[in-house]
């Protein structure tokens, strides 16, 4: 039997544990790092699409590793819009809340690192990170987004996602009826003119050089009183990313509130291509309606596989991937 002294001692330890801050009590369950090397699924990219896929898989009791380097393409964007329940929220806050919720599932682990190479194995795939870590998985998910290639215009990159914008559904309402530009040429310029005129009639197209619009396109644009300026642009003058005016190479200027542009892009991660995944003509990862790439057991979701670049779409495609992978695995295991 325990002595009175031992009973008091044990009771004191119990009270001390109850008095500890909650994070200290759960520290041993922290799953933001891992010594585990083998997983059911490795998700490369831990932003909206990747976290959405991880939640679906975590709730299906799958062992998942998320590898993320912490550089989402919308890191400069001040607010996310057109995403129900999160309209107007900072993108970083959405991602942080999502990560917190996803990591409550014990089978999901998160590694802050950069995946640099991948290869097939007999049982699946091996992924190696920048720090030299190696992990294995039966299935791969690429939620790596795309890398925008900024044009050689001073101030463009500093304004990107703030006042130089790509999507009227994401940002158009905030600059409705304002003096707005379109930095594009040819078919892109024509499409933007049709679309953005819904948000503002005070539009000007800047082709940044000789126009490649067809005569028919130019006539339709002129019909709606949208000027086409072919001067080359030297600089976008701004204040903390908020556009003030365009400065042309001939030193003339043009005042604007916002400008739409869709710069070229490339895949942020080259591993899918080294594994044999095909790209579309637009440079996106080729996927079917279930987000399967052209390589068996490799999936893609979010901006790297869709022209619809929005947080809502990334979350939706990630959720679909998570469900599809679990369904496939349950059939394989049955």
């Amino acid at each position: 039997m325990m002595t009175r002294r031992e009973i008091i001692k044990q009771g004191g330890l119990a009270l001390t544990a109850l008095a500890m801050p909650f994070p200290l009590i759960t520290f041993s369950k922290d799953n933001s790092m891992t010594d585990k090397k083998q997983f059911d699924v490795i998700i490369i990219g831990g932003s909206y699409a990747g976290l959405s896929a991880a939640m679906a898989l975590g709730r299906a009791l799958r062992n998942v590793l998320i590898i993320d380097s912490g550089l989402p393409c919308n890191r400069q964007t001040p607010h996310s819009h057109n995403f129900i329940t999160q309209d107007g929220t900072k993108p970083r806050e959405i991602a942080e809340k999502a990560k917190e919720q996803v990591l409550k599932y014990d089978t999901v682990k998160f590694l802050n690192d950069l995946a640099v190479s991948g290869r097939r194995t007999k049982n699946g795939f091996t992924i190696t990170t920048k720090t030299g870590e190696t992990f294995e998985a039966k299935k791969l998910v690429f939620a790596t987004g795309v890398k925008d290639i900024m044009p050689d215009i001073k101030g463009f990159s500093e304004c990107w996602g703030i006042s130089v914008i790509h999507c009227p559904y994401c940002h158009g309402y905030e600059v409705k009826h304002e003096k707005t530009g379109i930095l594009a040429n040819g078919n892109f310029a024509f499409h933007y003119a049709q679309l953005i005129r819904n948000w503002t009639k005070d539009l000007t197209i800047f082709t940044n050089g000789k126009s490649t619009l067809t005569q028919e396109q130019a006539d339709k644009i002129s019909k709606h009183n949208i000027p086409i300026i072919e001067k080359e642009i030297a600089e976008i003058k701004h204040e903390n990313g908020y556009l003030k005016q365009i400065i042309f190479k001939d030193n003339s200027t043009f005042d604007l509130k916002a400008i739409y542009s869709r710069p070229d892009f490339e895949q942020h991660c080259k591993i899918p291509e080294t594994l044999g995944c095909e790209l579309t003509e637009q440079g996106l990862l080729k996927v079917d309606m279930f987000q399967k790439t052209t390589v068996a057991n490799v999936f893609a979701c979010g901006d790297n596989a869709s022209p619809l670049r929005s947080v809502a779409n990334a979350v939706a495609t990630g959720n679909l991937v998570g469900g599809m992978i679990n369904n496939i695995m349950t059939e394989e295991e049955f």
Side-chain angles (χ1 to χ4, degrees):
M1 293 180 62
M2 294 178 66
T3 65
R4 187 169 186 270
R5 182 184 295 275
E6 289 171 330
I7 291 171
I8 293 171
K9 182 180 178 181
Q10 293 297 324
L13 288 172
L15 288 172
T16 300
L18 290 172
M20 281 185 178
F22 183 74
L24 292 179
I25 295 173
T26 60
F27 183 76
S28 63
K29 293 185 178 181
D30 178 20
N31 57 351
S32 62
M33 297 177 66
T34 183
D35 293 324
K36 187 178 174 70
K37 296 299 180 181
Q38 293 184 322
F39 295 86
D40 293 324
V41 184
I42 291 177
I43 300 172
I44 301 175
S47 194
Y48 316 101
L51 289 169
S52 180
M55 176 171 280
L57 288 163
R59 290 183 59 81
L61 310 180
R62 297 297 176 184
N63 289 302
V64 178
L65 174 63
I66 307 166
I67 303 174
D68 183 69
S69 61
L71 292 173
C73 65
N74 67 349
R75 57 188 176 273
Q76 283 192 173
T77 306
H79 301 98
S80 176
H81 291 285
N82 204 30
F83 182 16
I84 196 167
T85 77
Q86 300 296 329
D87 191 49
T89 306
K90 294 179 180 179
R92 180 180 292 275
E93 291 178 5
I94 298 172
E96 287 175 350
K97 185 176 182 180
K99 181 180 175 183
E100 179 185 355
Q101 291 178 347
V102 168
L103 293 185
K104 288 180 180 178
Y105 295 93
D106 291 340
T107 58
V108 180
K109 311 296 179 185
F110 191 99
L111 181 67
N112 187 7
D113 204 343
L114 178 67
V116 294
S117 66
R119 63 180 179 85
R120 288 195 220 222
T121 65
K122 182 178 179 181
N123 298 316
F125 304 90
T126 294
I127 295 294
T128 302
T129 69
K130 187 177 182 179
T131 59
E133 295 270 18
T134 300
F135 303 96
E136 296 182 3
K138 300 171 186 175
K139 317 287 184 188
L140 291 182
V141 176
F142 288 95
T144 43
V146 293
K147 180 181 179 182
D148 294 303
I149 302 170
M150 300 292 112
D152 187 20
I153 298 174
K154 184 180 179 182
F156 186 100
S157 60
E158 290 85 353
C159 295
W160 180 238
I162 302 172
S163 59
V164 176
I165 51 185
H166 77 287
C167 173
Y169 298 103
C170 300
H171 308 290
Y173 188 85
E174 283 61 47
V175 291
K176 63 184 184 299
H177 310 314
E178 297 286 357
K179 196 169 186 178
T180 302
I182 295 169
L183 177 54
N185 210 341
N187 291 331
F188 269 135
F190 185 71
H191 173 67
Y192 261 145
Q194 289 178 308
L195 183 64
I196 297 163
R197 188 174 172 274
N198 184 65
W199 279 267
T200 180
K201 302 298 187 288
D202 196 347
L203 269 177
T204 303
I205 292 174
F206 302 92
T207 58
N208 194 29
K210 185 172 177 59
S211 171
T212 57
L213 290 156
T214 66
Q215 189 59 54
E216 183 182 1
Q217 289 172 332
D219 289 344
K220 284 188 177 181
I221 287 169
S222 177
K223 176 183 173 183
H224 293 287
N225 299 313
I226 301 173
I228 300 170
I229 297 178
E230 299 180 75
K231 295 180 183 180
E232 292 188 17
I233 298 171
E235 180 181 351
I236 294 177
K237 190 174 180 181
H238 65 95
E239 187 174 317
N240 297 321
Y242 289 93
L243 196 155
K244 298 297 181 184
Q245 62 181 197
I246 287 177
I247 302 175
F248 298 100
K249 289 186 177 180
D250 64 3
N251 292 321
S252 61
T253 62
F254 196 101
D255 292 343
L256 280 177
K257 180 77 173 184
I259 192 164
Y260 287 87
S261 181
R262 178 171 284 189
D264 292 334
F265 67 85
E266 62 184 11
Q267 287 291 321
H268 207 263
C269 178
K270 299 300 182 183
I271 299 175
E273 293 173 71
T274 66
L275 292 174
C277 296
E278 293 180 23
L279 299 180
T280 67
E281 291 181 2
Q282 294 76 34
L284 299 167
L285 285 170
K286 190 175 183 179
V287 294
D288 65 11
M289 63 184 296
F290 300 117
Q291 304 298 132
K292 297 178 184 179
T293 70
T294 55
V295 173
N297 298 316
V298 179
F299 298 75
C301 53
D303 292 354
N304 63 4
S306 172
L308 301 176
R309 295 181 62 177
S310 72
V311 174
N313 184 65
V315 171
T317 55
N319 181 259
L320 176 59
V321 162
M324 286 306 306
I325 290 177
N326 182 65
N327 187 64
I328 291 169
M329 295 186 77
T330 55
E331 291 177 352
E332 292 172 344
E333 296 162 355
F334 191 72

